[in-house]
Amino acid sequence: MAISWRNYQVNNLYDELMAGSGRIRPQARSLCRYFQRLSESALQQRRSAAELAIQGMGITFTVYSEKAGGAIDRAWPFDVIPRIIKASEWQRTVEGLKQRVQALNLFIDDLYHDQKIIRDRVVPADLLADSVNFRPQCVGITPPHRVWAHICGSDLVRDRDGTLYVLEDNLRVPSGVSYMLENRLVMKRIFPELFRSNAILPIDDYPSQLYDMLQAMAPAGCDQPEIVVLTPGIYNSAYFEHTYLAQQMGVELVQGSDLLVDSDDVVYMRTVEGRARVDVIYRRVDDLFLDPEVFNRDSMLGVPGLMRAWKKGNVALVNAPGAGVADDKVIYAYVPRIIRYYLDQEPLLPNVPTWLCHERKEREHVLAHLDQLVVKPANESGGYGMLIGPHASAKERAHFARLIRRDPRNYIAQPMLALSTAPTLIDDHVEPRHLDLRPFILSAGDSVQVTMGGLTRVAMRRGSTVVNSSQGGGSKDTWIIDDRESDHAVACC
Amino acid sequence: MLSRVAETLYWIGRYVERAESSARLVIATQQLLLDLPKGTPLNWWSMIDIFGSSESFRARYRRQDEASVIRFLIADEENSGSLINSITAARRNARTIREIIPREAWEQLNAIHLSLQQGLPQALRRQHRHACLSSVIHTAQQFSGVIEGTMLHNTGYLFWRLGRHLERADMTSRIIDVQSATLLRSERDTLQQTYQNIQWMSVLQSLSAYQSYRQQMAAPVKRALVVRFLLQDSEFPRAFRHAIAALLHDAQRLPGSEEVVATAAAIIAQLDSAEPGALDSTALHHYIDQLQLALAGLHQSINGRYFAAA
């Protein structure tokens, strides 16, 4: 026997598949039994087949390495045991995510127009003044359907008691959706029988939903819009995803140098047939590199004049420049208030309790409890620049105390959550590993769609809670399972 | 098709073909020099001359011996025309358009790049050189086979072929030039005449052309006929004329290609009215110079129309 669920230690944490040692959650029953029946050699065979499939399909992510003298492609680390969420729970989560993104879009639109929320003193004015992602160049612009954050990747984590919290919202250029899709393809290839015996809801229509959303953003009177994906190029860590999405949607993958904006303020791409008009740009280049006429003058990744074309309404930019203002971790703390303000509803999904270092009282609390808290910079992503208090040395904590005092606006602190775990194949047995979940929310005005599940990222090192692929994280397929049948945890057979 | 993608495919075609032809050139020269009678000074230098890189060679090498020339042509990363740099450049280009080229083709480029990085020190030594250079030739052939057999035969494919054929014409003319120049320098040697036919046979063999030559020309190996065959034959794939005719044919399928087509047609017309086989060594060298200038013009015309425009 390769896998024994009896010996699996749940360790007083919430486990996604196990309700306690030896007690399988009902939605995971068929899966766990399947793995238990696999012989050691069959299990290893499937695992290497999965690795081969990943290599063969060319699923990689890029990391920058000083040692290798540049960017290197690494195979995507993948665990064959899926993570399961019940459809009934997921339905509630979807409603919460839709509510959240709807409110965030209203918030961003308000910030670039009347700023009612600031005049009504729900969000303090100085917060906006100090926001590094607020773009004064976007003030007064109204993008199609008043949507700014067309694609949002929100990170969800589950605490000890099973509650799902929103940890952060990524509104700039969230990545990972291609891995979600590829993980499912790998699972289908390697474990086809599991898909017959479980009611796993499909996820494959994301690329066509994305395409439909992009199409809906086209300038008025444009029936057959030319849609492109704009990538910073091969050295970007998400380049694989850029090529993947362009391929799946059947649109051109372009770089800044492929595009130009003429004196008519229209965007064209340079083709061998001559210039061709571009109507919608799914851009994976950060705001500040988008247009050297307006933002970073030295940017080689952008297109001079892009903002002119966008302001004139001649091209749609997805996500809109300036959407990142709501990506700020300080703004994050205000999201529940933002939801109440614009929608007059109670938030369906809770935020993680957050202390704001720019508020004197809260800062003092943070400084006094650095050994218990997680401190995050307001505008970093990828898990960089964080302090995980309980695991940090006294020296590291002192360093962060200095950073916080020097620039309080740039830091927030949250309690150390007891992140949920899921069984993960480590060598020849299963061990619990911490994980999170990144669903993707597509907004096209009236219609908002959420992926069925999302990308589950796993911290592959024992005890670690850092799930970022750049820092040793892996991933799992995420199953939303129709759970209308049984609902009692069962003892292991 | 994006101009950048078209240009990248064009250069992949050129670099892979250049790597293959460089390997062929080194093998041909080596065979040739081995066949020369004892006491004939080994003339490695002519290869450097033919690549037009004598200045950059002299700047970094003191001796013009076999070891230096071979290192410079195959393994020198500072020499932009070296074989390793052609493979590296092809791979770098392919990496930026992985969504366009077949996966197996990319994997082959990757594999040859890796194996060259490991195998080059060996290739510098004579006894392993042939095996290493042959593997470059085989990979290039497989690479082209995968592209021909699995890639969409669309505009991008045509640009890849354009690059490949232009480079092939260029390299075939250079290989003839090397042989011609080698002979030129030792013309006073009376023994030379005896060995001439053997030398031209090795040229044919290096281009995998010997069999085709015998079939096509139905004559023994003679300098005039070999030159005519390699420059003017319209059926042998590595012949100069065939490569330009293929380029012309592909260009006709591209949008707005009138000027490119006319430039290629002019080269063919010029070739058809000449008799390069009858030229002496010096005149042949000048004639090939003219052909190479015409190729440079053809490249300019493609570049100006499709890559640099808009």
Side-chain angles (χ1 to χ4, degrees):
Chain A
M1 274 306 176
I3 290 181
S4 158
W5 299 108
R6 245 182 248 286
N7 300 334
Y8 182 80
Q9 296 294 320
V10 169
N11 297 334
N12 194 28
L13 292 166
Y14 186 96
D15 191 274
E16 302 285 338
L17 301 190
M18 306 291 287
S21 293
R23 289 172 56 232
I24 302 169
R25 291 188 190 280
Q27 66 269 26
R29 195 184 300 161
S30 138
L31 175 83
C32 290
R33 283 186 182 152
Y34 171 86
F35 271 100
Q36 189 164 344
R37 279 197 298 268
L38 279 185
S39 70
E40 168 76 30
S41 67
L43 182 63
Q44 293 307 332
Q45 223 170 21
R46 302 285 177 114
R47 173 150 73 173
S48 33
E51 275 163 20
L52 272 179
I54 286 168
Q55 261 175 30
M57 290 155 85
I59 311 173
T60 59
F61 68 101
T62 312
V63 281
Y64 187 80
S65 156
E66 288 287 346
K67 223 174 169 183
I72 43 174
D73 269 353
R74 282 217 199 124
W76 176 244
F78 176 72
D79 181 62
V80 293
I81 304 174
R83 180 247 196 104
I84 297 180
I85 300 172
K86 290 196 289 186
S88 50
E89 180 187 21
W90 186 246
Q91 199 44 49
R92 293 193 298 275
T93 311
V94 164
E95 294 310 317
L97 289 167
K98 285 182 175 176
Q99 176 197 50
R100 196 172 171 96
V101 172
Q102 205 189 346
L104 285 170
N105 270 307
L106 290 167
F107 172 65
I108 301 166
D109 197 58
D110 185 20
L111 288 187
Y112 291 113
H113 290 93
D114 304 333
Q115 304 194 341
K116 289 189 198 116
I117 198 167
I118 289 175
R119 283 194 270 131
D120 290 339
R121 297 173 189 278
V122 176
V123 169
D126 55 343
L127 210 77
L128 192 60
D130 295 339
S131 165
V132 297
N133 286 317
F134 181 77
R135 306 267 170 260
Q137 297 90 340
C138 298
V139 170
I141 294 177
T142 306
H145 307 282
R146 301 190 96 96
V147 179
W148 294 74
H150 310 81
I151 301 157
C152 171
S154 291
D155 291 347
L156 306 180
V157 292
R158 203 193 285 279
D159 198 13
R160 199 188 305 271
D161 65 358
T163 312
L164 271 180
Y165 290 93
V166 180
L167 186 64
E168 61 183 55
D169 305 291
N170 296 282
L171 302 168
R172 284 173 281 179
V173 283
S175 64
V177 77
S178 60
Y179 301 112
M180 171 190 92
L181 297 166
E182 293 282 79
N183 286 350
R184 175 61 55 88
L185 281 185
V186 171
M187 282 304 281
K188 278 184 175 166
R189 221 188 253 193
I190 310 300
F191 299 98
E193 59 272 44
L194 281 175
F195 288 79
R196 277 198 296 274
S197 54
N198 288 280
I200 305 160
L201 298 177
I203 58 170
D204 322 318
D205 49 353
Y206 180 82
S208 60
Q209 290 174 349
L210 177 62
Y211 186 88
D212 291 345
M213 181 275 285
L214 292 170
Q215 200 169 31
M217 291 304 122
C222 181
D223 292 337
Q224 291 251 297
E226 180 79 57
I227 299 170
V228 300
V229 176
L230 174 63
T231 174
I234 57 169
Y235 295 111
N236 187 274
S237 61
Y239 182 69
F240 166 80
E241 176 156 306
H242 307 160
T243 64
Y244 181 88
L245 290 176
Q247 255 174 335
Q248 291 292 311
M249 292 191 290
V251 304
E252 292 282 2
L253 178 69
V254 304
Q255 300 179 7
S257 58
D258 295 326
L259 301 180
L260 76 144
V261 179
D262 212 340
S263 52
D264 57 0
D265 294 338
V266 168
V267 184
Y268 298 94
M269 59 180 168
R270 305 171 209 265
T271 80
V272 294
E273 284 95 4
R275 292 174 178 188
R277 183 174 173 154
V278 172
D279 306 296
V280 180
I281 301 177
Y282 175 19
R283 51 100 177 189
R284 297 293 297 255
V285 171
D286 283 333
D287 280 3
L288 292 179
F289 296 94
L290 261 187
D291 181 353
E293 280 184 11
V294 177
F295 301 117
N296 188 339
R297 277 160 197 248
D298 303 324
S299 170
M300 306 290 282
L301 306 174
V303 186
L306 202 52
M307 288 293 283
R308 270 190 279 130
W310 182 58
K311 282 182 191 177
K312 283 267 177 77
N314 289 337
V315 71
L317 295 177
V318 171
N319 288 349
V325 65
D327 202 310
D328 187 305
K329 290 191 178 63
V330 178
I331 296 287
Y332 162 87
Y334 288 89
V335 172
R337 281 170 261 189
I338 289 172
I339 292 174
R340 286 184 203 108
Y341 180 79
Y342 291 106
L343 302 178
D344 197 21
Q345 294 169 3
E346 273 307 301
L348 299 171
L349 281 177
N351 253 20
V352 179
T354 301
W355 287 276
L356 299 168
C357 295
H358 74 276
E359 306 262 354
R360 195 178 55 84
K361 273 192 179 161
E362 300 196 14
R363 177 167 67 247
E364 277 165 11
H365 175 87
V366 171
L367 290 171
H369 298 88
L370 273 182
D371 58 337
Q372 298 159 29
L373 298 172
V374 177
V375 181
K376 297 175 178 177
N379 288 297
E380 283 284 347
S381 59
Y384 293 104
M386 277 171 45
L387 175 83
I388 298 178
H391 300 168
S393 66
K395 203 177 152 194
E396 285 165 326
R397 288 199 293 266
H399 173 65
F400 262 79
R402 277 196 303 278
L403 290 177
I404 292 169
R405 285 198 186 92
R406 197 183 304 155
D407 187 8
R409 161 67 178 86
N410 193 35
Y411 291 94
I412 59 142
Q414 292 169 339
M416 176 89 181
L417 294 182
L419 246 55
S420 66
T421 60
T424 301
L425 194 54
I426 305 293
D427 301 324
D428 61 350
H429 60 286
V430 281
E431 284 183 25
R433 288 291 183 268
H434 293 293
L435 37 70
D436 77 351
L437 179 66
R438 178 179 286 184
F440 296 86
I441 305 106
L442 294 175
S443 304
D446 298 337
S447 125
V448 179
Q449 284 173 306
V450 181
T451 47
M452 191 57 76
L455 174 66
T456 291
R457 300 184 298 175
V458 192
M460 296 303 274
R461 279 192 295 268
R462 186 198 303 254
S464 166
T465 53
V466 181
V467 295
N468 306 84
S469 52
S470 51
Q471 302 191 35
S475 76
K476 288 168 170 288
D477 192 15
T478 309
W479 290 1
I480 306 300
I481 277 203
D482 206 336
D483 57 327
R484 275 165 301 186
E485 294 162 27
S486 55
D487 50 358
H488 295 290
V490 288
C492 174
C493 37
Chain B
M1 158 126 317
L2 287 173
S3 296
R4 171 181 53 86
V5 174
E7 185 174 12
T8 305
L9 283 162
Y10 172 82
W11 280 106
I12 291 172
R14 289 200 71 160
Y15 282 125
V16 172
E17 187 67 29
R18 188 177 298 176
E20 178 181 344
S21 299
S22 306
R24 289 180 181 280
L25 177 64
V26 173
I27 291 176
T29 309
Q30 176 159 343
Q31 299 297 331
L32 172 67
L33 295 178
L34 288 177
D35 282 339
L36 288 182
K38 234 182 163 189
T40 311
L42 291 186
N43 192 0
W44 290 97
W45 178 251
S46 55
M47 277 198 288
I48 303 287
D49 240 358
I50 291 317
F51 274 103
S53 30
S54 49
E55 261 181 51
S56 100
F57 180 90
R58 282 208 186 88
R60 283 176 310 105
Y61 293 85
R62 255 181 291 164
R63 297 171 56 186
Q64 302 179 4
D65 58 354
E66 176 178 350
S68 306
V69 171
I70 291 295
R71 176 179 294 279
F72 181 78
L73 289 180
I74 300 181
D76 192 339
E77 291 183 358
E78 313 257 315
N79 168 21
S80 61
S82 70
L83 191 150
I84 182 70
N85 276 347
S86 295
I87 291 290
T88 305
R91 181 181 176 275
R92 194 174 52 230
N93 276 289
R95 196 179 129 90
T96 66
I97 52 164
R98 275 179 67 177
E99 76 279 11
I100 308 274
I101 57 170
R103 203 191 70 230
E104 297 95 317
W106 157 253
E107 284 171 3
Q108 266 160 351
L109 269 189
N110 230 356
I112 189 70
H113 183 251
L114 266 177
S115 91
L116 271 187
Q117 280 183 327
Q118 288 155 5
L120 272 185
Q122 289 223 317
L124 295 177
R125 277 184 270 140
R126 252 194 205 181
Q127 69 267 37
H128 301 296
R129 203 179 290 157
H130 193 275
C132 175
L133 295 172
S134 296
S135 79
V136 172
I137 295 172
H138 292 150
T139 305
Q141 295 275 318
Q142 282 168 7
F143 177 82
S144 307
V146 171
I147 299 241
E148 289 283 355
T150 63
M151 188 172 153
L152 280 178
H153 284 200
N154 57 10
T155 311
Y157 164 80
L158 292 176
F159 278 100
W160 168 74
R161 279 176 57 100
L162 244 49
R164 178 178 177 222
H165 284 127
L166 195 137
E167 189 71 24
R168 182 175 289 176
D170 185 48
M171 291 301 283
T172 294
S173 67
R174 279 175 201 268
I175 288 177
I176 297 169
D177 209 11
V178 170
Q179 307 311 316
S180 190
T182 309
L183 295 171
L184 182 67
R185 283 170 183 239
S186 24
E187 241 164 3
R188 267 178 241 145
D189 190 337
T190 47
L191 270 175
Q192 191 63 44
Q193 295 304 318
T194 326
Y195 287 93
Q196 231 196 40
N197 295 346
I198 295 173
Q199 290 156 24
W200 285 103
M201 193 185 292
S202 77
V203 172
L204 288 173
Q205 275 159 350
S206 76
L207 289 168
S208 306
Y210 181 67
Q211 236 179 320
S212 306
Y213 172 88
R214 296 306 295 239
Q215 286 174 33
Q216 198 78 333
M217 307 306 277
V221 174
K222 286 252 189 304
R223 174 184 178 277
L225 294 179
V226 173
V227 169
R228 192 204 295 169
F229 177 70
L230 290 181
L231 286 180
Q232 295 175 301
D233 194 81
S234 57
E235 290 173 350
F236 179 61
R238 311 194 76 80
F240 189 97
R241 190 192 190 283
H242 180 275
I244 299 301
L247 186 150
L248 188 150
H249 179 76
D250 289 339
Q252 281 170 333
R253 292 175 52 198
L254 291 174
S257 60
E258 297 76 12
E259 191 198 316
V260 176
V261 169
T263 312
I267 296 177
I268 290 175
Q270 204 273 348
L271 199 60
D272 287 347
S273 66
E275 258 193 85
L279 300 174
D280 70 18
S281 297
T282 316
L284 181 61
H285 179 63
H286 287 306
Y287 183 70
I288 288 177
D289 257 3
Q290 280 175 31
L291 288 182
Q292 297 207 327
L293 281 176
L295 290 182
L298 188 53
H299 165 75
Q300 283 311 324
S301 146
I302 295 169
N303 185 63
R305 171 64 188 84
Y306 296 110
F307 309 149

